[in-house]
Amino acid sequence: MILSKRVLNSSFSATVGIADKAQFIREQGKAVYDFSAGRAFEPTPSYIAQATMDAITAGDTHQTMAKGKTFYRNAIADKLIRDNGIEANPETEIVATMGCKQGLTIGLIASINPGDEVIVEDPCFVSYKQTIQYVGGKVVEVPLRAENNFRWTKKDLSKAITAKTKAIIMCSPHNPTGVVHTRDDLQIVADIAIKNNLIVLTDEVYERVVWKGHHHTNLASLPGMKERTITLMSFTKSFSMGGWRIGFIYACETIAKELEKLQQHLITSVNSFVQIGAAIACGEPQKEVLDYWLEWEKKVNYCTEYLNDIPGLSCHTPEGGFYAWTNISELQIDSLSFTEQLLDQESVAIVHGSSFGKYGENYVRFTCVKSWEELEEGLNRIKKFINNLS
Ligand code: GLU
């Protein structure tokens, strides 16, 4: 075969793949209820869209600095102080990215030599393992056990460290389990990273969608972690800006300089006018988006309660994020067959837990931030599907 093993040995993305399939079915004129990828139903708030349209009209359509426009980086620095208590130098510690996934890619290229081991959570977001593989790293999975409330223990994490361990990837609020890692959870990671001289890439894409009683903490803000943390953030989830492909990395100067080099070669710059919209999103959140967050929390609660009431299913109320991480083990069916049959029989698309890792096998993931009509119909169809199973 003339293609590379790295690509040939990787698989398609379950989240994007299922969402694309649902879209294809819809384009054939057939009904489909799509709860697969974590894409909110609402459009980007109008104040963000308007600022971006004004930027295009004003001719802001040329490449920008590879690390991002000064205007954008300054807005990010303000946001980091206001929301995260982090004082970042916008000149040297912030790099614009095309969303968290592109940030993860350059973060891994900058950190990993071929054969280096990278620790991931199991279950974890479907693209981490493939991206590690693309850069020549070796994936090491450490379980997030249900009995530990989907949190790493010091024992499990320490056991995974070898002389080849180079980096850890973690996600908080966590996709798919909905856990928001506490300072104590993060301290376990920090202690091990410092002791073993590791880099940690933290995916914080869901940082603003944290539900009542929970609080997002940045790993980089823990003592000794700034120098070794690559913080990945984006506007995709919190601001319903998935199609904009925009985010940023916060890292210390030594790391950020290398990431800037990568952006120069790989993408030149992030889209110019999109950076204006994202800069506006960095400002104090306006009513439109605050209303989205209130609505999303209601939907997350509604969906998890509904699913919990279906005999054979159980799920915790998420602490943050968009997903009902639903245990199906009582139904005696594997997660892939469950999702395939649900799509075939009821035209409902969700994601099988096994795509997130071995420890996801007894689960399916349902995205809760869709329209009320879609949620009603989709949940009814899931109930009907399960009734027919038994
Ligand atoms: N991150 C989202 C998810 O887990 C969007 C899909 C993707 O980018 O893979 O569904």
Side-chain angles (χ1 to χ4, degrees):
M1 179 40 110
I2 56 175
L3 297 176
S4 77
K5 286 199 189 100
R6 282 180 191 175
V7 169
L8 292 172
N9 291 341
S10 68
S11 48
F12 282 91
S13 158
T15 50
V16 177
I18 297 170
D20 286 358
K21 189 170 173 189
Q23 177 68 15
F24 179 77
I25 296 171
R26 197 174 286 128
E27 284 175 11
Q28 307 302 300
K30 296 186 198 135
V32 63
Y33 301 88
D34 182 14
F35 309 97
S36 58
R39 300 171 184 170
F41 132 89
E42 290 87 352
T44 299
S46 58
Y47 67 97
I48 297 170
Q50 189 58 54
T52 313
M53 289 189 282
D54 292 347
I56 298 177
T57 313
D60 193 346
T61 53
H62 301 284
Q63 289 100 323
T64 73
M65 283 186 217
K67 64 184 174 185
K69 278 173 172 290
T70 305
F71 179 71
Y72 179 38
R73 283 179 286 105
N74 285 342
I76 293 168
D78 290 347
K79 171 250 172 310
L80 286 172
I81 292 181
R82 190 194 60 231
D83 298 341
N84 313 97
I86 289 176
E87 261 188 63
N89 182 335
E91 273 310 306
T92 56
E93 295 178 339
I94 292 169
V95 177
T97 64
M98 299 173 110
C100 279
K101 277 175 156 176
Q102 203 260 329
L104 176 77
T105 307
I106 56 170
L108 283 173
I109 296 174
S111 319
I112 301 307
N113 289 313
D116 283 348
E117 292 178 1
V118 183
I119 292 176
V120 296
E121 296 160 310
D122 181 354
C124 69
F125 173 52
V126 297
S127 294
Y128 297 161
K129 289 185 237 172
Q130 305 299 334
T131 314
I132 294 167
Q133 189 181 320
Y134 292 148
V135 303
K138 184 168 174 278
V139 175
V140 176
E141 288 141 316
V142 177
L144 296 178
R145 300 177 198 276
E147 61 267 31
N148 294 334
N149 239 327
F150 303 112
R151 290 170 151 89
W152 268 339
T153 60
K154 192 170 180 180
K155 191 168 157 221
D156 279 342
L157 193 53
S158 309
K159 243 181 16 205
I161 305 290
T162 72
K164 288 193 173 163
T165 310
K166 186 66 190 300
I168 297 174
I169 302 179
M170 63 176 306
C171 177
S172 185
H174 188 257
N175 173 13
T177 66
V179 162
V180 178
H181 290 297
T182 61
R183 204 190 151 91
D184 287 349
D185 298 335
L186 298 178
Q187 193 62 54
I188 293 176
V189 178
D191 290 344
I192 289 174
I194 292 168
K195 183 168 165 216
N196 297 283
N197 195 24
L198 309 178
I199 292 180
V200 187
L201 296 103
T202 59
D203 177 349
E204 302 182 15
V205 66
Y206 299 91
E207 67 146 345
R208 300 304 302 260
V209 285
V210 171
W211 312 131
K212 217 184 186 146
H214 301 280
H215 173 74
H216 174 68
T217 310
N218 301 85
L219 183 72
S221 67
L222 269 59
M225 286 309 291
K226 176 176 168 173
E227 298 70 29
R228 57 181 69 256
T229 304
I230 298 179
T231 303
L232 310 166
M233 290 192 171
S234 127
F235 303 87
T236 295
K237 309 294 177 187
S238 311
F239 293 89
S240 223
M241 287 174 71
W244 297 57
R245 311 315 302 133
I246 179 81
F248 64 92
I249 283 176
Y250 162 62
C252 67
E253 184 173 349
T254 319
I255 298 176
K257 207 164 82 193
E258 300 307 318
L259 300 175
E260 181 185 356
K261 193 198 283 178
L262 286 165
Q263 294 301 58
Q264 287 181 357
H265 288 296
L266 294 176
I267 62 164
T268 305
S269 74
V270 171
N271 304 338
S272 53
F273 43 88
V274 166
Q275 294 182 49
I276 299 296
I280 299 305
C282 284
E284 195 69 55
Q286 295 193 14
K287 184 175 179 322
E288 219 175 322
V289 74
L290 291 172
D291 286 348
Y292 283 5
W293 298 344
L294 289 174
E295 187 76 351
W296 293 345
E297 183 163 13
K298 276 190 215 148
K299 287 178 175 172
V300 164
N301 289 334
Y302 174 78
C303 294
T304 44
E305 275 167 32
Y306 190 109
L307 289 165
N308 253 328
D309 283 346
I310 300 177
L313 299 186
S314 65
C315 50
H316 293 284
T317 306
E319 298 166 358
F322 291 171
Y323 309 112
W325 182 238
T326 310
N327 190 306
I328 59 163
S329 53
E330 277 184 36
L331 299 173
Q332 311 284 343
I333 179 172
D334 67 90
S335 64
L336 180 60
S337 305
F338 183 99
T339 53
E340 284 177 347
Q341 290 177 25
L342 182 65
L343 186 58
D344 281 353
Q345 293 171 28
E346 294 296 338
S347 304
V348 172
I350 59 173
V351 185
H352 49 290
S354 56
S355 64
F356 299 93
K358 198 170 79 190
Y359 282 77
E361 171 45 31
N362 285 326
Y363 294 81
V364 292
R365 195 193 76 174
F366 178 95
T367 298
C368 307
V369 288
K370 300 296 173 177
S371 72
W372 283 110
E373 296 72 33
E374 225 180 330
L375 289 176
E376 286 291 343
E377 185 61 30
L379 289 166
N380 280 335
R381 283 170 179 252
I382 291 177
K383 193 192 244 174
K384 183 167 146 232
F385 170 74
I386 288 170
N387 282 341
N388 292 341
L389 266 184
S390 41

